[in-house]
Amino acid sequence: DCWHSIPSKIGFSFFSIFEDKAGFSVKYQVLNSDLEFVADGVFEIKQKDMILKSFKINDNGVVYAVMAHQIKGSDANDYVYDQLYSFIYNPTTQLGLEQHNEISEGLRFKNIITEIDNFSNRAYTASNYLNKDNPEDLGLFILSTEPNSAHTLQHRYPYTKEAMSRLHSYDAKDWKDQAMIIRPKQIITQSDGGCVVISEGQYQYTKVIRSTPYSYPYSMYGDMYTKVYDQNHYFDISAASIDGNGKINWTALMPKMQMTEGDGGMYSSYVLMEANNVLKFLFNEDIYSNGNFVEYNLNPAGETKNMSLLNSQKDELVLIPQKGLQISPTEVVIPSEQKRILQLVLFKY
């Protein structure tokens, strides 16, 4: 098995969102590589409280959109969606289809991501799910579809207490709390019609510290100094390879622990690149102390290995992996910012 690289063809699209009493719609146009008009259409649904979660076009002009129904009064950090609707436009037939996602009642969703394969034109959606009637039923939810089909394949992959015990994370009171911070980040398509879903543990909380002033006179009203800052945590990278029928080929775990304060997590997480059919995850091992910049390799058999690439402190770098970009099959550029000095670091394989 192997992962798919990016072909040279390019497709473009732009869209507008419309919402009224009748429902929710997305009007789009498709352009070719010369920015010439190819087709247009509309994805619409007669329902209120809808949100467009993703709109993508692949290099062959296949358009894929996912809308979600938001539960009224739901917390923004919770599983806020109770229905997912997917739409696909096939440039070969020039038809846009609403797909039938007969999702079980009681499921709730968050962290929705999508991808379209550039060879098979198959489209994928991944999200976290939670069964509101069974709080121990939570995990990863996958939709996949062909470009000429109105029906989708649906699969659920529950997280388990045993699997959570192998992860690095904060000291959660319950394994379910630990599972809720794992979010799908990227979908890598496979030649067998399936995909690899890359996930990462991530959460943020705000700390408030109050202290009395050190100078006199103290206020009779008990005024205090208040300091508010965010603490950002990024944990293990995990991968699950799923074949075209929904069967899991393998899972892989790449441990890491990153914690920063007041930077929005900018120096945490990773940049992903593909080189010689190997997925490479590059990241700062410890943002504040040892300066090691590390690489994990993941091959199509699910085997991993890691190595240290450089010491960013010795090279006077503060790398920002999340802003990295693969610019060729063998090169990735990652920015570094320190004391208002911006540098671009090129990694060649």
Side-chain angles (χ1 to χ4, degrees), residues 125-273:
T125 297
S127 73
N128 293 120
Y129 83 88
L130 171 69
N131 187 340
K132 72 177 182 65
D133 299 320
N134 179 9
E136 293 197 353
D137 180 14
L138 75 166
L140 189 64
F141 183 84
I142 304 289
L143 290 174
S144 66
T145 188
E146 302 290 343
N148 56 354
S149 175
H151 296 276
T152 60
L153 297 177
Q154 301 180 28
H155 309 285
R156 289 159 60 178
Y157 306 96
Y159 296 144
T160 64
K161 183 176 182 180
E162 180 184 5
M164 295 303 102
S165 68
R166 296 193 293 267
L167 298 179
H168 293 79
S169 185
Y170 65 104
D171 294 327
K173 296 180 179 179
D174 191 289
W175 69 269
K176 297 184 290 294
D177 295 332
Q178 191 174 5
M180 286 182 181
I181 70 168
I182 301 172
R183 60 176 65 188
K185 302 294 287 285
Q186 291 170 282
I187 299 172
I188 311 297
T189 60
Q190 295 180 157
S191 58
D192 66 354
C195 63
V196 173
V197 181
I198 310 297
S199 301
E200 184 179 34
Q202 177 185 341
Y203 80 98
Q204 179 191 80
Y205 69 92
T206 301
K207 295 188 70 173
V208 180
I209 298 177
R210 294 181 174 88
S211 59
T212 56
Y214 294 105
S215 59
Y216 289 95
Y218 294 132
S219 168
M220 63 180 292
Y221 299 105
D223 291 345
M224 303 183 72
Y225 291 131
T226 301
K227 180 182 179 181
V228 179
Y229 62 91
D230 292 327
Q231 196 171 83
N232 303 278
H233 296 258
Y234 288 76
F235 295 106
D236 299 354
I237 303 168
S238 56
S241 171
I242 302 163
D243 71 16
N245 296 316
K247 179 183 176 182
I248 292 184
N249 297 316
W250 47 259
T251 60
L253 181 64
M254 291 159 277
K256 68 178 177 68
M257 295 181 67
Q258 299 164 310
M259 189 277 290
T260 59
E261 295 178 350
D263 68 347
M266 182 169 66
Y267 303 102
S268 299
S269 196
Y270 63 89
V271 59
L272 172 65
M273 74 169 294

Side-chain angles (χ1 to χ4, degrees), residues 4 22 50 53 89 115 123 183 212 224 252 255 259-260 297-298:
H4 282 157
M50 299 298 300
K53 294 303 298 180
Y89 165 79
E115 190 56 84
R183 60 176 65 188
T212 56
M224 303 183 72
M259 189 277 290
T260 59
N297 287 347
L298 174 66

